[in-house]
Amino acid sequence: MLTFKSERIMAKVIDSKIPAGPVPEKWKEYKAHQRLVNPKNKLKLDVIVVGTGLAGASAAASLGEMGFNVINLCIQDSPRRAHSIAAQGGINAAKCYQNDGDSVYRLFYDTVKGGDYRAREANVYRLAEVSNNIIDQCVAQGVPFAREYGGMLANRSFGGAQVSRTFYAKGQTGQQLLLGAYSSLSCQVQAGKVKLYTRYEMEDVVIVDGRARGIIAKNLVTGKLERFSANAVVIATGGYGNTYFLSTNAMGCNCTAAVQCYRKGAYFANPSYVQIHPTCIPVHGDKQSKLTLMSESLRNDGRIWVPKKIEDAKALQAGTKQGWEIPEEDRDYYLERRYPAFGNLVPRDVASRAAKERCDKGFGVNNTGLAVFLDFSESINRLGLDVIMQRYGNLFEMYEEITDVFPGDVANEINGVKYYKPMMIYPAIHYTMGGIWVDYELQTSIPGLFAIGECNFSDHGANRLGASALMQGLADGYFVLPYTIQNYLADQAVWPKVSTDLPEFAEAEKKVDAELDRLLNIKGKRSVDSIHKELGHIMWEYVGMGRTAEGLKTGLKKMHELEKEFDENLFVPGTKEGLNIELDKAIHLRDFFTMGQLVAFDALSRNESCGGHFREEYQTEEGEAKRDDENYFYVGCWEYKGKGNEPELIKEPLEYEAIKVQTRNYKN
Ligand SMILES: Cc1cc2nc3c(=O)[nH]c(=O)nc-3n(C[C@H](O)[C@H](O)[C@H](O)COP(=O)(O)OP(=O)(O)OC[C@H]3O[C@@H](n4cnc5c(N)ncnc54)[C@H](O)[C@@H]3O)c2cc1C
């Protein structure tokens, strides 16, 4: 087993913020005035968990089981509807069921390398260590993972790995895992240890004497603001991909909770590390509000290609030729050509950039020129349609439902070889590696505030490998946070839960209320969606797949102007009372502006390319990302300095002890 010095990295930063020594005078004062809710029963510890995705539901269930009183909130009407159910492809673990040489070390190594050597080594090692426990836990809950004929759990491969370590349940892995976590959660609800608040949205975190002591949440049905107090607050509220408007994320995903924590002093780490997934259904018009992912698992058997000849590409774009009319010798399987060792299973950042490079050169295959083919002809000919349907049936059906093309239909036969209708795919915003900064114990820079799952930055460096988000969310929720939070809570016997009557709660609630009034009273002419769509265009154009210093500065300027338009010309119909979805969306958009600028600031400050952050000025002759380890081998943590002001960058140096930092190579 490896141990790391960096396990304690930045603990000093946290320590310096925790008031040292005995209970401060102010607390004695509260005690004297009997303002503590539970002065007699000091050991009754309450934890707020915001979010019921895989990270939140698993944490709430585990904390409940350990005897804490948990308040668990989510936006949806049921935890079962959290965004995590969108996860299709699978979850990684180092079980080595395939006997292909996998190990905890190898999973650790692949994840660090996949993250382009920008992750914290110690965290990733812990993640790899607990990966196997997650599978055991989920099997015990009854999660119906796919099995081999003989009963063993089946595996498939995901990008960035040369072993088969991804456990899956058809194309619905996230949903099945969430049903498992939900059943544990329901058990704790029944036992009275977890109290669920569905259709509630956290609007602010309440800080008392430098520690997170509660939250202000909006009841989304009545519109009322409510106060919740606890000994610690955990946010598990997902990523910020929807800043780009069009993404594969669920429509409800937003970064309001994380941004409010950032505004209250939590550092935000590596915001520029945004993942663009190579296999999404291409954008097909200006009226679209959502993009659909075609799971990375399809790259196990699907081959990615564009025509070799530019005249074929032009004919495809003009609609005078179809993909299946192009014979084998005229197809450019560009990933297999450029990266022979990993082929179609290179990591997402590499595959996305390669697709963009082909399309930028004019080889795109749809009418916009912004698509490449994902073709199953070879695998269907080799394995038969039945086998392919067993593996990807629901994904084929989903593709057909959206595009009216069924990838299992024979379309042509050339020289005795059957050609099937290929899918068309293009990169799209998918996942955010950046997030609220946490230490090794998953505590943010605000004592008592923890962040887990996609909303923290912890494990994926500059690029996340496929099937690792579910692994991280469940590692955080089942196996890390329930233990590390106790180091903080141990101290809580002398710091009991406070009353929500404290002035800090009243002030936070007043501010949220004033914000709702402000947004409703702008009474301008533009809808939330029209402004959000424009923000998305700016983000994609200037802060997207290829970034330059010039472009980022332009993007920031445009964002400032658009934010002004938002502040002066927004129209939100209805009132504060009752359900008002437009008002909720306006709050989210306000925070997407803060987030978008943060992504741009971070991208501008990082004069190198790594993982999902590609600065066009910093690339090799072959167009690969060019890191600068001498100057940028750190986690970039940002501290909020007020609206319109540039945030301050604080650097957490990375220390690698077990893995040699080198240039990523997927060629051989
Ligand atoms: C299409 C798609 C497919 C994917 N496939 C895979 C895959 O195969 N394998 C893999 O490893 N990863 C996959 N991912 C990534 C993975 O699904 C996510 O990273 C992961 O599910 C995030 O889980 P989470 O618990 O952190 O957050 P989420 O699932 O996003 O849950 C967030 C929770 O927070 C709540 N919430 C948010 N804001 C607030 C607020 N202000 N107040 C109260 N509650 C709030 C929400 O209601 C929700 O309950 C996929 C992602 C997408 C988009």
Side-chain angles (χ1 to χ4, degrees), residues 375-643:
D375 199 314
F376 291 84
S377 299
E378 188 274 331
S379 54
I380 297 176
N381 286 331
R382 180 167 41 91
L383 300 167
L385 186 58
D386 277 0
V387 172
I388 294 299
M389 285 303 284
Q390 270 168 29
R391 289 180 189 172
Y392 315 108
N394 65 324
L395 299 172
F396 275 31
E397 281 155 17
M398 192 162 84
Y399 186 81
E400 184 184 22
E401 211 166 284
I402 295 170
T403 63
D404 209 21
V405 170
F406 184 65
D409 277 348
V410 184
N412 198 6
E413 197 166 321
I414 310 175
N415 300 331
V417 178
K418 283 191 181 131
Y419 286 93
Y420 292 79
K421 291 185 176 171
M423 290 183 179
M424 282 195 218
I425 50 162
Y426 195 68
I429 297 291
H430 176 66
Y431 180 87
T432 48
M433 282 75 68
I436 294 288
W437 179 88
V438 286
D439 66 2
Y440 189 67
E441 309 217 317
L442 305 183
Q443 184 166 221
T444 71
S445 50
I446 298 176
L449 178 66
F450 293 76
I452 59 174
E454 190 173 339
C455 82
N456 76 22
F457 90 105
S458 70
D459 295 349
H460 308 295
N463 173 60
R464 173 176 73 80
L465 289 185
S468 311
L470 302 183
M471 174 172 68
Q472 181 226 327
L474 290 180
D476 288 359
Y478 285 134
F479 296 107
V480 183
L481 178 95
Y483 302 97
T484 59
I485 200 173
Q486 297 190 36
N487 291 339
Y488 176 77
L489 289 173
D491 169 42
Q492 295 300 296
V494 289
W495 296 73
K497 191 176 124 174
V498 297
S499 159
T500 52
D501 292 339
L502 287 192
E504 287 84 347
F505 277 88
E507 198 186 320
E509 184 183 318
K510 207 166 124 200
K511 273 197 180 149
V512 173
D513 198 39
E515 262 303 275
L516 299 180
D517 286 334
R518 179 181 78 85
L519 295 169
L520 282 163
N521 289 330
I522 296 173
K523 298 198 188 304
K525 295 211 158 19
R526 291 193 60 180
S527 69
V528 176
D529 279 356
S530 82
I531 300 179
H532 193 175
K533 192 185 267 189
E534 201 175 325
L535 173 65
H537 281 305
I538 297 171
M539 291 298 292
W540 183 250
E541 184 72 21
Y542 302 103
V543 200
M545 270 177 92
R547 302 161 173 175
T548 61
E550 209 49 47
L552 288 165
K553 283 180 202 154
T554 310
L556 272 167
K557 187 164 163 284
K558 284 182 181 286
M559 274 190 258
H560 281 304
E561 286 161 8
L562 190 62
E563 193 174 21
K564 195 158 177 282
E565 170 82 353
F566 171 86
D567 285 337
E568 292 172 1
N569 199 18
L570 177 75
F571 175 67
V572 181
T575 63
K576 272 192 302 193
E577 288 75 38
L579 181 79
N580 188 341
I581 291 169
E582 282 301 301
L583 180 57
D584 300 334
K585 279 175 13 187
I587 299 166
H588 299 163
L589 181 53
R590 176 199 64 188
D591 300 328
F592 285 136
F593 272 110
T594 306
M595 201 58 239
Q597 290 164 44
L598 196 50
V599 175
F601 278 126
D602 191 40
L604 194 55
S605 79
R606 198 169 268 281
N607 294 318
E608 64 163 353
S609 294
C610 54
H613 165 63
F614 192 72
R615 283 280 299 273
E616 288 174 4
E617 306 95 318
Y618 307 102
Q619 54 182 306
T620 65
E621 276 174 14
E622 290 168 306
E624 307 290 353
K626 194 167 166 190
R627 289 199 326 257
D628 174 355
D629 293 334
E630 206 172 310
N631 295 303
Y632 296 95
F633 195 47
Y634 60 74
V635 176
C637 315
W638 294 90
E639 189 170 15
Y640 186 63
K641 291 289 171 195
K643 185 172 172 176

Side-chain angles (χ1 to χ4, degrees), residues 64 90 143 186 211 232 252 295 298 307 375 377 537 555 659:
V143 172
S186 301
R211 294 180 183 231
S295 168
L298 293 167
D375 199 314
S377 299
H537 281 305
I659 288 180

